[in-house]
């Protein structure tokens, strides 16, 4: 149990499998200028958590505490923070990648990136949404500027990013095609997908054409094939490393656009996401919740790559 000056965090002292994760008690941070200290109630998990746990990724060598999603209550504010106050319920994403550390009882975060949690959703919902919704919003709205009636292909549409991307694309009035294994097609239809493709049985590049926008989270061959289903001027937004430099050359040759992006913490985008939630147009499907101390179990499940929707850590 943490004391008034300490907090429990999930930490790791070595890179490796879920077993390297451990609970530690550390000093509770004080919010610096323009920061808020958040008492974390729920924090989503994302593939970037297990990738960083195993490889160090952007963060290099441990020790470090992972986690970028946050929903919680403002405990204290740093100098200069006027928009938020202690007691406010907030949700948002820590700066990606350097601001990590939400898999903890408390986290200090840039006030600028956080918005009020919509009253109609609980902390588990709000903790599940930020990273995946910001990713989908920045891919579909900022980069691709999806328009009503456009044909949007979303790969891995049942996953964390995919299932919110479907809802955002539908909210923009798009015709949405999603890929998933057959067992997840009912889920895709509930989300609003107009056409579901079983990627295990059907080569999507032979089944769809004249697509305006593809959201790619698989990279490699899937990214290259995605370029070929676009109409002239269409765009593939990929959110995974390409590994294939010919992605951009192939795009140029075909007269289409290819973009690769990293999610970025942004308050204006969080406001747009909160508006969609308030309008009842965006909800996370919660695959499972785990108490903070069971983070290793959550990592192991997430790393299977088969979950539908989101995994979330809860903090009492
Ligand atoms: N660049 C960025 O800023 C950024 C941001 C967020 C995420 N990402 C990356 O995007 C990827 C997806 O993230 P996520 O949170 O959506 O992951 P996730 O929730 O773990 O995705 C799981 C889903 O992927 C589906 N899937 C796996 N292989 C597939 C395939 N070949 N075709 C279609 N669906 C497939 C699975 O469905 P089935 O069981 O039916 O196969 C499952 O529902 C990760 O690599 C993540 O690191 C990048």
């Amino acid at each position: 149990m943490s004391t008034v000056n300490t907090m429990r965090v999930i930490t790791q002292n070595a890179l490796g499998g879920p077993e390297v994760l451990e609970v530690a008690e550390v000093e509770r941070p004080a919010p610096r200028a323009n920061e808020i200290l958040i008492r974390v109630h729920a924090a989503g998990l994302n593939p970037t958590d297990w990738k960083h746990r195993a490889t160090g990724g952007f963060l290099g060598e441990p020790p470090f505490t992972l986690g970028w999603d946050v929903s919680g209550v403002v405990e204290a504010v740093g100098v200069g923070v006027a928009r938020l106050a202690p007691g406010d319920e907030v949700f948002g994403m820590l700066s990606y990648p350097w601001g990590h550390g939400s898999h903890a009882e408390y986290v200090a975060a840039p006030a600028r990136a956080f918005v009020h949690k919509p009253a109609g959703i609980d902390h588990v919902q709000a903790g599940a949404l930020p990273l995946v919704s910001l990713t989908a919003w920045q891919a579909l709205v900022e980069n691709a500027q999806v328009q009503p009636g456009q044909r949007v292909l979303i790969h891995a549409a049942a996953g964390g990013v995919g299932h919110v991307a479907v809802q955002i694309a539908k909210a923009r009035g798009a015709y949405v095609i999603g890929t998933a294994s057959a067992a997840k097609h009912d889920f895709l239809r509930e989300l609003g997908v107009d056409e579901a493709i079983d990627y295990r049985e059907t080569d999507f590049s032979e089944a769809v054409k004249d697509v305006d926008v593809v959201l790619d989270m698989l990279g490699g061959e899937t990214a290259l094939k995605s370029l070929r289903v676009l109409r002239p001027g269409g765009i593939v937004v990929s959110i995974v490393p390409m590994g294939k430099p010919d992605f951009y050359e192939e795009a140029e040759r075909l007269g289409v656009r290819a973009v690769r992006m990293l999610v970025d913490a942004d308050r204006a985008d969080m406001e747009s996401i909160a508006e969609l939630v308030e309008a009842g147009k965006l909800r996370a499907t919660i695959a499972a919740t785990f108490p903070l101390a069971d983070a290793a179990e959550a990592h192991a499940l997430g790393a299977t790559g088969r979950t539908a929707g989101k995994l979330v850590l809860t903090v009492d």
Side-chain angles (χ1 to χ4, degrees):
M1 201 55 198
S2 51
T3 69
V4 72
N5 295 317
T6 63
M7 64 175 182
R8 287 179 308 141
V9 301
I10 302 300
T11 189
Q12 61 185 94
N13 289 298
L15 302 176
E19 68 283 353
V20 301
L21 298 174
E22 52 187 274
V23 179
E25 190 158 335
V26 301
E27 199 177 328
R28 193 182 296 180
R32 299 172 299 181
N34 279 332
E35 283 185 343
I36 49 177
L37 179 69
I38 303 170
R39 164 89 168 88
V40 180
H41 282 259
L45 294 125
N46 294 282
T48 193
D49 292 310
W50 29 100
K51 290 178 188 175
H52 276 92
R53 184 205 69 226
T55 69
F58 289 112
L59 308 182
E61 285 301 313
F64 45 65
T65 294
L66 296 170
W68 282 269
D69 279 326
V70 190
S71 180
V73 177
V74 176
E75 179 83 7
V77 299
V79 171
V81 177
R83 198 175 51 82
L84 295 169
D88 285 355
E89 295 192 313
V90 292
F91 78 136
M93 189 184 81
L94 303 175
S95 305
Y96 189 85
W98 313 114
H100 59 98
S102 68
H103 295 169
E105 287 181 316
Y106 293 86
V107 68
R112 269 284 147 194
F114 279 75
V115 300
H116 291 281
K117 176 179 81 62
I121 59 168
D122 62 16
H123 284 295
V124 169
Q125 263 292 321
L129 283 169
L131 188 148
V132 290
S133 306
L134 285 168
T135 303
W137 182 271
Q138 288 164 8
L140 295 175
V141 180
E142 287 184 3
N143 278 299
Q145 298 171 347
V146 168
Q147 302 299 317
Q150 282 193 327
R151 287 164 61 78
V152 176
L153 169 62
I154 296 172
H155 288 294
V161 176
H163 90 297
V164 298
V166 168
Q167 297 173 70
I168 290 172
K170 289 308 296 178
R172 309 290 290 183
Y175 178 89
V176 177
I177 305 153
T179 67
S181 54
K184 290 177 177 146
H185 285 198
D186 284 348
F187 175 50
L188 295 199
R189 286 192 199 93
E190 282 163 26
L191 293 168
V193 161
D194 297 288
E195 227 176 285
I197 296 175
D198 176 2
Y199 69 90
R200 292 182 180 168
E201 296 294 327
T202 307
D203 179 343
F204 74 91
S205 65
E206 285 166 16
V208 291
K209 57 180 184 177
D210 298 329
V211 172
D212 297 283
V213 177
V214 181
L215 175 52
D216 165 52
M217 36 280 230
L218 297 161
E221 242 352 87
T222 302
L224 275 180
K225 280 183 173 179
S226 294
L227 294 169
R228 298 175 196 139
V229 305
L230 292 175
R231 62 158 184 75
I235 183 169
V236 173
V237 182
S238 182
I239 61 170
V240 285
M242 271 309 122
K244 287 199 178 248
D246 45 348
F247 177 59
Y248 300 102
E249 287 157 25
E250 179 71 352
E252 205 172 324
R253 194 181 69 75
L254 293 167
V256 296
R257 290 173 295 153
V259 164
R260 196 209 152 208
M261 58 152 273
L262 263 189
V263 65
D264 203 3
D266 183 84
R267 178 157 64 95
D269 293 348
M270 280 306 300
E271 297 284 10
S272 302
I273 289 157
E275 275 170 30
L276 283 179
V277 170
E278 275 155 7
K281 293 181 177 170
L282 179 62
R283 284 289 182 280
T285 292
I286 308 299
T289 62
F290 294 84
L292 181 66
D294 294 345
E297 216 179 302
H299 271 236
L301 178 58
T304 63
R306 299 270 83 86
T307 46
K310 292 294 302 170
L311 301 176
V312 181
L313 293 179
T314 57
V315 189
D316 295 330

